[in-house]
Amino acid sequence: MTVLVGLMSGTSLDGISAAVVRFNESADGIGVELLSFVSRPYAPPQRERIAAALIGASPQEYARLDFEMGGWLADAAVAAIAECGVARADIAAIASHGHTIWHDPPRATWQLGNAAVIAERARLAVVSDFRSRDVAAGGQGAPLVTIADAMLFSSRDKWRATLNLGGIANVQLLPPGGALESVRAFDTGPGVGVIDAVVRTLFPALAFDVDGALARQGAPNTAVVDSLLRGAFFSEPPPKSTGRELFTPAYVTALIEACRAAKPGCTSEDIVATATSLTARGVAIAFEKFIPEPVDEVLISGGGALNLALVDALRTSLSKVVVPFENFYFDGEAKEAVAFAFLGWLHLQGRAGNVPNATGARGPRILGSLTPA
Ligand SMILES: Nc1ncnc2c1ncn2[C@@H]1O[C@H](COP(=O)(O)OP(=O)(O)O)[C@@H](O)[C@H]1O
Ligand SMILES: [Mg+2]
């Protein structure tokens, strides 16, 4: 039995997720138990600093933000450890994804959140920088949650898809039993990122469309959605990954302006509904074009699974059973942090963490770098 802390700061910029997880490998497979989960929202000044760094900052600002973010990540880890019921001495390591500042495979990928700072503050070993090795090996550096989904969350007897609705949406196609050779995964396009950005622009007091209430009060503009879905990303065959580099503030501004130009009386709620429809139909297109596997159940996780308008739109656009991940396992908001804890667990054993047919890398690689306690 090994306990690790997984740390994730996702593209939606909502905050830091920290999960303390116990892994237990036996002849029956690998058992996973979520011991505690905390999600610490960024204060607006923190979020603004990261958002500014995504667009461009000075070398001084990048260096400082790297160190400060290390402190924020350590604080989240310490808070999760306080709730987990396991002594710090029994925790093997912290596995930290950090926050992606630039993801541009095959050229580069870069996450902030200095591992030495985390190790000092939390007094634990840290495994970090998970994406670089896969990109260096010719991969997309994403999705990296695939191996966790295959080894921990596949069905014994049927094909299953797991769909994480974070800032970006990604899907994993898991064969019965989770055999890695047949697993595929890719980013389908925007998750809640575009919806969040539209909401933050049109309703500055809100960080996201709570429960999907705004989208429910509006009507999507189908013509605008159709035209955005003709964008190159949606027809590019997998493996593919994306980040905020494609679904940028300019993309969001263009969406808002297209809605207003197409229908003069359109309300802000209509625009949120349009972003929500774009997100759901982006996922549906990925299934239609690129997923021939006989999947009937789709397990949804990530914060977007709490957006009920998005979930309804998905149920309408996808001809599949859409089930919340937590109906089968645990709180779906914790899933990505758990996946990074699992990648850390694999690293400590010298086992590969990428799935080459998901990332496109030349082969399996041990992911991450170790900073000793
Ligand atoms: N109650 C809720 N209602 C609607 N959306 C929600 C709710 N809670 C979280 N979300 C959405 O989930 C997002 C965060 O999801 P998360 O899985 O953490 O994404 P990421 O990994 O990209 O940070 C928020 O920005 C928001 O869009
Ligand atoms: Mg998040």
Side-chain angles (χ1 to χ4, degrees):
M1 279 196 308
T2 313
V3 178
L4 281 97
V5 184
L7 291 175
M8 179 69 197
S9 175
T11 48
S12 76
L13 273 179
D14 59 322
I16 294 171
S17 308
V20 183
V21 191
R22 178 152 51 208
F23 299 102
N24 195 356
E25 189 163 26
S26 71
D28 291 341
I30 300 167
V32 52
E33 203 184 335
L34 179 61
L35 302 179
S36 65
F37 173 61
V38 302
S39 144
R40 289 165 70 102
Y42 286 124
Q46 290 174 309
R47 180 177 300 137
E48 279 155 28
R49 265 184 83 188
I50 305 169
L54 295 173
I55 297 165
S58 66
Q60 177 191 60
E61 171 63 4
Y62 282 120
R64 290 187 177 172
L65 187 57
D66 184 40
F67 267 56
E68 283 185 51
M69 172 106 50
W72 304 340
L73 289 161
D75 289 347
V78 168
I81 292 168
E83 289 181 17
C84 76
V86 170
R88 187 184 302 240
D90 295 327
I91 295 176
I94 293 173
S96 175
H97 172 269
H99 194 94
T100 296
I101 292 294
W102 192 253
H103 184 69
D104 183 20
R107 296 166 209 87
T109 184
W110 186 28
Q111 285 75 37
L112 292 192
N114 190 280
V117 173
I118 304 173
E120 278 295 320
R121 279 233 208 166
R123 291 179 285 123
L124 286 168
V126 176
V127 186
S128 62
D129 192 20
F130 287 96
R131 298 198 192 271
S132 289
R133 187 61 189 270
D134 187 80
V135 171
Q140 294 281 312
L144 294 187
V145 298
T146 312
I147 198 158
D149 286 31
M151 294 177 75
L152 306 174
F153 309 129
S154 58
S155 154
R156 273 182 202 277
D157 47 19
K158 44 183 168 173
W159 277 86
R160 172 181 280 177
T162 49
L163 175 68
N164 194 70
L165 297 162
I168 298 295
N170 69 67
V171 68
Q172 333 289 315
L173 303 157
L174 311 172
L180 290 183
E181 314 78 67
S182 321
V183 172
R184 290 196 311 130
F186 59 96
D187 287 351
T188 61
V192 287
V194 171
I195 306 173
D196 284 354
V198 165
V199 169
R200 286 168 197 171
T201 307
L202 301 176
F203 301 88
L206 294 177
F208 55 83
D209 183 10
V210 181
D211 303 338
L214 295 170
R216 290 207 155 161
Q217 289 161 41
N221 187 313
T222 313
V224 171
V225 175
D226 288 342
S227 117
L228 290 170
L229 289 174
R230 284 195 285 273
F233 181 83
F234 295 102
S235 48
E236 214 176 280
K240 57 183 175 175
S241 74
T242 183
R244 295 169 73 97
E245 297 75 36
L246 187 56
F247 300 103
T248 55
Y251 186 93
V252 170
T253 307
L255 183 157
I256 293 172
E257 279 166 9
C259 288
R260 289 186 174 145
K263 187 169 163 254
C266 103
T267 65
S268 295
E269 286 82 355
D270 291 340
I271 302 175
V272 177
T274 303
T276 305
S277 168
L278 169 73
T279 305
R281 288 186 51 205
V283 172
I285 283 188
F287 270 85
E288 282 156 26
K289 286 197 176 188
F290 305 122
I291 304 186
E293 289 90 341
V295 166
D296 11 74
E297 62 187 13
V298 181
L299 272 58
I300 54 168
S301 60
L306 302 174
N307 181 323
L308 303 176
L310 176 59
V311 176
D312 278 351
L314 273 173
R315 290 200 164 116
T316 310
S317 351
L318 274 179
S319 49
K320 312 273 174 200
V321 183
V322 177
V323 200
F325 177 82
E326 68 189 14
N327 288 16
F328 286 60
Y329 300 101
F330 48 79
D331 182 354
E333 275 194 273
K335 183 168 169 278
E336 291 240 303
V338 169
F340 280 92
F342 186 62
L343 287 171
W345 183 78
L346 292 169
H347 174 103
L348 294 181
Q349 298 170 71
R351 287 158 79 171
N354 61 337
V355 177
N357 35 334
T359 65
R362 286 187 287 273
R365 295 289 187 271
I366 300 167
L367 302 182
S369 305
L370 180 72
T371 302

